[in-house]
Each structure stands twice: as C-alpha cells, then as structure tokens.
C-alpha cells in the first residue's frame, strides 16, 4: 500500500509535508535559533536578520516559539488518533463475533459517545484533572473512537459473510487466527483512511484548546497559543497570525490528502487504478516498438 500511495502525486505531497512536520516536532527545540522563553525589550519587532519572524509582545523570538511548539501539536494529535484507534477498532471487530449482548452494548456506547461534544468534555476534564494536554487528548480520543468502531465493524461484517471465512470457522479455526489471517487485511485500508483523517482532527482539537489557553501552561509555546496571542496585536503586526494559521491549515490539509490517497489505492478503487495503469503501459509499449537491430 505504501508504494501505491507514493505512486500518486497527492500521496507524495502529503507524505513530504507530514515528514517535514514530523522533523519539526522531533528537532524543533534543537533547531530554534534562540531560547523560546527568553524575553527582551525588543517587543513586537518586525522580521529581521536576528528575528526572522519578528518578536511577540514580550520580546520573544516568534520563529523559536513556533519550532518549539510544534512538538505539542504533533504529539497531541497523535494521542487523539492512537487512543481512538485502540478504543474503537478492537470492540468494532469483536462485536461481529462475540454475540448479540456484546454487540448491543458496544453499539449503544458508540451512539452515546457520538452524541457527546468532545471539545466541551475535554475542557471539563482539564478543569477536573488539571491543566494538562495529555488527559484532554486521551478523553478526546475516546470520544472520537466511534469513527474507528463503525469503520472496523463495517469492514469486518463484509469479510465475516464471505464463504472462505465461514469455511475457516466451520473447520475449527480460532477467532484470533481468522482475524489475523482474513479480517485484518480487509479492515486495515479503511482504518488507515480513518487514522489519517483523525490525525488532522487531532491537530484542530489541539489548536482549539491551546488557542483558548487550555491544556498547556503558559509561557510554553503552542501553535494555537501563538495564534491567539498574535490576534491581540493586529494593529502592530497584522501579518503575524498568518504563520501559525498556515502551519495548522497545511498540516490538516496534508492529513486529509493522505487519507484520500490511501482510499484511492485501496480496495476496488486501488485495483481499478492499477489495472488502468497496466492498460496504459501496454498501450505505450505497443505504440513505441523497440528499434530494429543493426545489420
């Protein structure tokens, strides 16, 4: 699947953008040219050779704060996606095989979680457990998990009704073997699409919470926090909010682009794409015959 995704222009663009964001998250604090927490008298300065993106209202280097704050945004979005993946996929697959009672309970839980406003609950959890981004992201991941539950359940139902799976179960194959051998291969592509989309949703959630000053204690830098602080000084630096906003938008767009690329190369659509490429390659070979050898 990875090769097929990279074969698409949209897949390559998404992977390159997300790779750059991952590098910023891993090495951002090391790449920061100055201390992101150090204040100075040079407040609200324009871009210069010393401060490439200027300084904020406390004289802190904006570029250093953006680089240092990238880790919080990336880790927070991954916490949301991975929590939703674990909480949603396992019950979604097992609900097809563990009987009516387990199926009914998990379906009702999924419907309940869908009805809850996850952003409001994240704020409530932070208020109860303390101002920390991790607990807010874990709760948000649980509230987003019905997406993975429904995707994995629908894919498992499609596979469970196939003759080869029913034959394996009648032959005495264990549930774990059936899931590993037959179900997981069919469930993985739609889960990959949902995972890429959820990472983008996680970025929006982290940015929204930090924009409101929730989850991260100041003066720790975050993309959402920088955007919020820059909006208060538009008369001095009207272009300042563009950089953190652009980072958030481009990252979410890349996640959605990757999800579209994974969807395009998986399942029936992926097979149709490969068949079309083979047909075009055969036509090109026939239209461009090999040159005749010399006498």
């Amino acid at each position: 699947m990875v090769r097929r995704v990279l074969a698409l222009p949209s897949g390559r663009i998404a992977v390159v953008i997300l790779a750059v964001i991952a590098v910023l998250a891993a090495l951002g604090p090391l790449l920061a040219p100055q201390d992101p927490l150090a204040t100075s008298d040079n407040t609200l300065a324009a871009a210069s050779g010393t401060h490439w993106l200027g300084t904020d209202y406390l004289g802190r280097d904006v570029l250093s704060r953006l680089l240092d704050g990238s880790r919080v945004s990336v880790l927070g979005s991954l916490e949301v996606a991975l929590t939703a993946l674990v909480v949603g996929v396992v019950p979604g697959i097992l609900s097809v095989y563990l009987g009516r009672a387990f199926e009914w309970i998990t379906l009702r839980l999924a419907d309940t979680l869908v009805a809850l406003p996850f952003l409001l609950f994240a704020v409530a959890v932070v208020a109860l457990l303390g101002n920390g981004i991790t607990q807010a992201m874990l709760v948000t991941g649980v509230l987003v998990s019905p997406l993975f539950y429904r995707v994995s359940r629908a894919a498992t139902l499609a596979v469970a009704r196939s003759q080869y799976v029913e034959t394996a179960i009648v032959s005495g194959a264990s549930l774990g073997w059936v899931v590993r051998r037959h179900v997981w291969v069919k469930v993985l592509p739609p889960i990959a699409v949902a995972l890429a989309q959820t990472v983008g949703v996680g970025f929006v959630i982290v940015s929204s919470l930090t924009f409101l000053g929730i989850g991260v204690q100041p003066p720790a830098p975050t993309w959402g926090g920088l955007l919020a602080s820059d909006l208060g000084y538009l008369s001095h630096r009207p272009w300042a909010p563009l950089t953190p906003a652009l980072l958030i938008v481009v990252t979410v767009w890349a996640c959605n682009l990757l999800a579209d690329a994974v969807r395009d190369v998986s399942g029936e659509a992926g097979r149709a794409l490969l068949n079309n490429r083979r047909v075009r390659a055969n036509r090109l070979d026939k239209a461009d015959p090999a040159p005749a050898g010399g006498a």
Side-chain angles (χ1 to χ4, degrees):
M1 181 185 293
V2 176
R3 292 182 178 178
R4 284 184 284 177
V5 169
L6 294 177
L8 295 177
S10 59
R12 291 194 296 270
I13 293 173
V15 169
V16 169
I17 293 175
L18 294 178
V20 171
I21 298 299
V23 170
L24 291 180
L27 304 178
L30 301 177
L31 297 175
Q34 300 182 26
D35 185 355
L37 303 180
T39 60
S40 68
D41 296 333
N42 189 19
T43 59
L44 299 175
S48 63
T50 305
H51 304 285
W52 289 8
L53 294 178
T55 60
D56 64 3
Y57 65 100
L58 292 177
R60 297 171 296 193
D61 184 63
V62 174
L63 176 60
S64 300
R65 291 180 64 77
L66 280 173
L67 292 174
D68 189 69
S70 59
R71 180 172 297 180
V72 174
S73 299
V74 172
L75 291 180
S77 62
L78 291 178
E79 286 176 0
V80 172
L82 294 178
T83 302
L85 175 69
V86 174
V87 175
V89 170
V90 176
I93 295 176
L94 295 181
S95 65
V96 179
Y97 295 101
L98 294 187
R100 296 276 182 161
F102 184 82
E103 179 185 22
W104 186 89
I105 292 173
T106 54
L107 283 172
R108 299 293 79 76
L109 285 175
D111 293 340
T112 302
L113 292 176
V114 168
L116 298 177
F118 55 82
L119 190 58
L120 181 61
F121 266 74
V123 174
V125 167
V126 169
L128 291 174
L129 302 180
N131 197 16
I133 196 68
T134 299
Q135 53 262 40
M137 293 301 98
L138 293 178
V139 172
T140 304
V142 173
L143 297 176
V144 177
S145 62
L147 170 64
F148 288 90
Y149 174 85
R150 291 176 174 178
V151 168
S152 59
R153 173 176 165 78
T156 305
L157 281 172
V159 178
R161 294 169 181 169
S162 59
Q163 293 183 352
Y164 59 88
V165 171
E166 293 178 351
T167 302
I169 294 176
V170 171
S171 301
S174 64
L175 176 59
W177 186 88
V178 171
V179 172
R180 291 193 306 270
R181 181 67 177 83
H182 297 295
V183 176
W184 185 247
V185 177
K186 300 294 184 182
V187 174
L188 184 58
I191 288 178
V193 174
L195 182 63
Q197 291 177 335
T198 307
V199 172
V201 173
F203 266 97
V204 175
I205 295 171
V206 174
S207 301
S208 301
L209 290 175
T210 53
F211 180 85
L212 298 174
I214 298 170
V216 177
Q217 292 281 3
T222 60
W223 289 355
L226 287 169
L227 180 60
S229 62
D230 289 336
L231 290 177
Y233 298 91
L234 290 177
S235 59
H236 297 84
R237 301 170 69 239
W239 48 267
L242 294 178
T243 304
L246 186 62
L247 284 172
I248 296 170
V249 170
V250 169
T251 304
V252 175
W253 174 72
C255 291
N256 293 332
L257 195 64
L258 180 61
D260 291 340
V262 174
R263 185 186 61 233
D264 290 341
V265 302
S266 60
E268 296 296 332
R271 283 189 285 272
L273 181 64
L274 290 177
N275 291 333
N276 290 336
R277 287 182 176 174
R278 290 182 184 134
V279 170
R280 287 197 299 266
N282 292 332
R283 289 177 179 174
L284 290 175
D285 291 339
K286 294 178 181 179
D288 187 19

